[in-house]
Amino acid sequence: MSSSLLARLADRFDGPDLRVAPTSSLTPSVLRIEVLAGLTVALALVPEAVAFAFVAGVEPLVGLYAAFIVGLITALIGGRPGMISGATGALAVVMVSLVAQHGVQYLFATVILMGLLQVVVGIMRWGKFIRLVPHPVMLGFVNGLAIVIGLSQLDFFRLEGGAWMQGEQLALVLGLVVLTMAVIWALPRLTSVVPAPLAGIAITAGLVIALDLDVPRVADLASISGGLPDFGIPVVPLNWETFEIILPYAIILAAIGLIESLLTLNLVGEITGQRGGASQECIAQGAANTVTGFFGGMGGCAMIGQSMINVKSGGRTRISGVSAALFLLAFILVASPLIEVIPLAALVGVMFMVVIGTFAWNSIKILAKVPRIDAVVIILVTIVTVMTDLAIAVVVGVIVSALAYAWQNATRIHATSYETPEGARVYQVKGPLFFGSATGFIEMFHPKDDPGQVIIDFAESRVADQSALQAIEAVAAKYEAEGKRIQLRHLTRDCHKLLTRAGHLMVDSDDDPDYAVAADYGVRTGILGGH
């Protein structure tokens, strides 16, 4: 995603401009902002963690413990200071069937295995492949996630039986939501002493408590009171059958968690001006989930909504993430009576502002300007994110983008031809020769109609893979079958080694190119030679 777009995205929340806040200049003012940003995030984490625990079919404290442990560990050793991690809905929807069929202890074992897989990904440095996610996929990811966050807030407008609020109660709750959003929008224009989201929560909560308004509060979701999480090994049979049950879930959860975390890492990095850290983030996520599984948590990953709250509230260092985790633990241990009286409308207002700030509104304007396939990918990834989950959406987007790129390059292959004074036909091949263009390459030649001497010049082409090599050999075989002489010019020495049948047809020259071919030397005789 372009830095200019993300810079505007950061400004959308109208928070204080603290993009350049190096950790080395930790003044009392910066420390205050970091701690207050952490407090704001912790308040927003409570209803999210409880709601995602309900989605997964586990107790609220299982979600809260995950938010605390995952948030703390990733804040300490993660790849991007300022990112917030915790229990997420993308993981919860996968966990629900596991919990329903096998119980919560199997969930804890799965989370441990999920974490170990993520650590392996980090050690192998596979996180770098997130660079292959195209820009349109990032736009679709941001837009889809913003819609998902917004839709998830609508559940807070339901009554206990599932019916929607109506009449005065609905009007009152909507009024409080709008009040919170108005404070968040207006306060930065007056002062940056207090993060705007925290001020919005405080003002709305103070009004509700002072007037004793009858609106849903955090306590209506569940009690968040509890003790310190206890260490325990999941109570599951240690056998192959258990491994077969938890492995598929662990792989899916690890993939979803890393994809969402690495995309969030890129998003936060563009806003804060930081780079790198993908492998470190994978290891941190894995370590956090492994530890969480042993302490009765449901696991988690990076949370784009809370990360945006933190960044836009001024959080730029690890202090804000650590503060958020510690505040959340304090809420569980001692401050639950205070937190449980906060109206949900205040927290919903904060999340709605996150939605407004997260959605890439500029992507709507550029849909008519970008190539049609890019517009399709943006819309497709957005829809798939909303309808299914993030991991599937990103994979679909990358596949569609890759296929579109391959097709565009496949159509570039062409050749010009002329006859030399000696009567030889020269084909000057232009464009990349790879699996997508191999068929088109073969169809360019006319062995029956060409003269007895044919030269194929690859000076303006590039042979990319085994499909290209096989296409060259197929063309050479057709000319030889017609009893005609053929020469291949300007191919690399690598091609010479890999061409089993047509290698002797190559003509060496001083200006031959030098590049590698994506082919397996160990199988070349089986694939290309046919003998």
Side-chain angles (χ1 to χ4, degrees):
M1 181 174 293
S2 65
S3 57
S4 59
L5 173 58
L6 286 169
R8 289 195 297 273
L9 205 158
D11 290 335
R12 182 83 62 181
F13 206 66
D14 290 326
D17 188 7
L18 295 172
R19 287 182 206 164
V20 183
T23 56
S24 58
S25 58
L26 195 59
T27 64
S29 175
V30 172
L31 180 61
R32 172 181 56 79
I33 291 173
E34 293 285 335
V35 173
L36 291 179
L39 175 59
T40 307
V41 170
L43 291 172
L45 274 172
V46 172
E48 296 284 306
V50 172
F52 296 146
F54 286 150
V55 170
V58 296
E59 295 294 323
L61 281 176
V62 175
L64 291 169
Y65 287 152
F68 161 62
I69 298 173
V70 174
L72 179 63
I73 294 177
T74 55
L76 288 171
I77 63 173
R80 180 77 73 243
M83 272 179 59
I84 302 296
S85 298
T88 65
L91 300 181
V93 296
V94 177
M95 297 173 178
V96 61
S97 61
L98 174 64
V99 175
Q101 295 179 40
H102 303 285
V104 70
Q105 292 297 323
Y106 277 82
L107 172 61
F108 297 151
T110 301
V111 170
I112 294 172
L113 181 57
M114 162 193 173
L116 294 176
L117 292 175
Q118 291 175 327
V119 170
V120 171
V121 171
I123 293 175
M124 299 299 293
R125 297 189 177 277
W126 291 339
K128 62 186 177 183
F129 291 113
I130 198 66
R131 302 172 186 171
L132 298 179
V133 176
H135 177 70
V137 176
M138 280 293 292
L139 286 175
F141 152 73
V142 170
N143 292 347
L145 216 51
I147 295 172
V148 169
I149 294 172
L151 293 176
S152 68
Q153 304 308 305
L154 299 181
D155 290 335
F156 296 117
F157 292 94
R158 294 181 183 271
L159 300 174
E160 188 172 345
W164 292 100
M165 295 180 183
Q166 296 181 354
E168 294 183 0
Q169 185 180 28
L170 178 60
L172 178 59
V173 171
L174 287 174
L176 293 173
V177 171
V178 172
L179 172 63
T180 305
M181 296 173 69
V183 172
I184 295 173
W185 175 81
L187 187 65
R189 290 163 169 75
L190 303 175
T191 179
S192 61
V193 174
V194 179
L198 180 60
I201 295 172
I203 291 174
T204 303
L207 180 64
V208 169
I209 294 171
L211 300 179
D212 194 23
L213 299 178
D214 184 17
V215 294
R217 308 190 186 193
V218 173
D220 294 325
L221 289 178
S223 173
I224 66 169
S225 178
L228 289 170
D230 296 321
F231 176 84
I233 298 176
V235 185
V236 297
L238 298 178
N239 53 34
W240 182 254
E241 183 180 355
T242 299
F243 184 73
E244 287 183 322
I245 292 172
I246 66 175
L247 179 61
Y249 287 100
I251 293 174
I252 295 171
L253 291 171
I256 294 174
L258 289 183
I259 290 173
E260 185 162 354
S261 297
L262 292 175
L263 290 178
T264 304
L265 179 133
N266 283 351
L267 184 65
V268 173
E270 288 286 355
I271 296 173
T272 60
Q274 299 167 320
R275 300 178 63 185
S279 298
Q280 184 178 345
E281 184 63 30
C282 292
I283 295 174
Q285 292 287 337
N289 282 309
T290 302
V291 173
T292 300
F294 283 113
F295 282 91
M298 61 183 282
C301 64
M303 307 178 74
I304 186 172
Q306 276 65 28
S307 297
M308 298 304 281
I309 291 175
N310 185 49
V311 170
K312 294 168 184 177
S313 296
R316 292 294 185 275
T317 71
R318 300 188 185 277
I319 294 175
S320 58
V322 172
S323 298
L326 295 179
F327 275 124
L328 186 59
L329 180 62
F331 296 162
I332 297 171
L333 297 179
V334 297
S336 58
L338 295 176
I339 303 304
E340 289 174 1
V341 299
I342 294 177
L344 293 175
L347 302 175
V348 171
V350 172
M351 296 310 296
F352 277 160
M353 290 300 290
V354 170
V355 169
I356 295 172
T358 301
F359 194 92
W361 300 99
N362 187 57
S363 63
I364 298 176
K365 298 179 182 179
I366 67 174
L367 283 178
K369 301 177 182 178
V370 298
R372 184 176 301 175
I373 186 61
D374 288 345
V376 169
V377 170
I378 293 172
I379 297 172
L380 178 64
V381 173
T382 300
I383 293 174
V384 176
T385 300
V386 174
M387 301 301 295
T388 57
D389 62 60
L390 171 66
I392 294 177
V394 171
V395 171
V396 168
V398 170
I399 290 175
V400 172
S401 297
L403 290 175
Y405 176 79
W407 175 254
Q408 291 169 358
N409 278 276
T411 58
R412 290 172 52 197
I413 191 77
H414 65 284
T416 58
S417 65
Y418 62 91
E419 285 194 16
T420 65
E422 294 78 13
R425 170 74 64 181
V426 178
Y427 286 92
Q428 293 181 313
V429 182
K430 301 179 181 180
L433 179 54
F434 67 111
F435 67 90
S437 59
T439 301
F441 170 78
I442 295 174
E443 294 173 350
M444 292 190 306
F445 301 96
H446 309 283
K448 291 184 178 181
D449 302 328
D450 283 339
Q453 176 76 21
V454 175
I455 300 171
I456 304 178
D457 191 343
F458 292 89
E460 298 183 55
S461 180
R462 185 183 180 99
V463 179
D465 56 18
Q466 286 180 334
S467 296
L469 295 169
Q470 190 170 10
I472 295 172
E473 295 206 327
V475 170
K478 288 182 179 181
Y479 279 104
E480 290 189 322
E482 293 289 333
K484 299 176 180 180
R485 295 179 58 195
I486 180 173
Q487 293 182 350
L488 307 177
R489 292 183 176 175
H490 293 112
L491 286 172
T492 67
R493 300 308 302 168
D494 202 11
C495 291
H496 189 111
K497 296 176 183 177
L498 291 167
L499 285 171
T500 304
R501 293 176 178 171
H504 64 286
L505 303 175
M506 291 178 57
V507 177
D508 295 333
S509 59
D510 293 337
D511 59 344
D512 281 344
D514 183 18
Y515 54 79
V517 179
D520 188 345
Y521 285 82
V523 299
R524 66 183 179 92
T525 56
I527 293 179
L528 299 175
H531 48 255

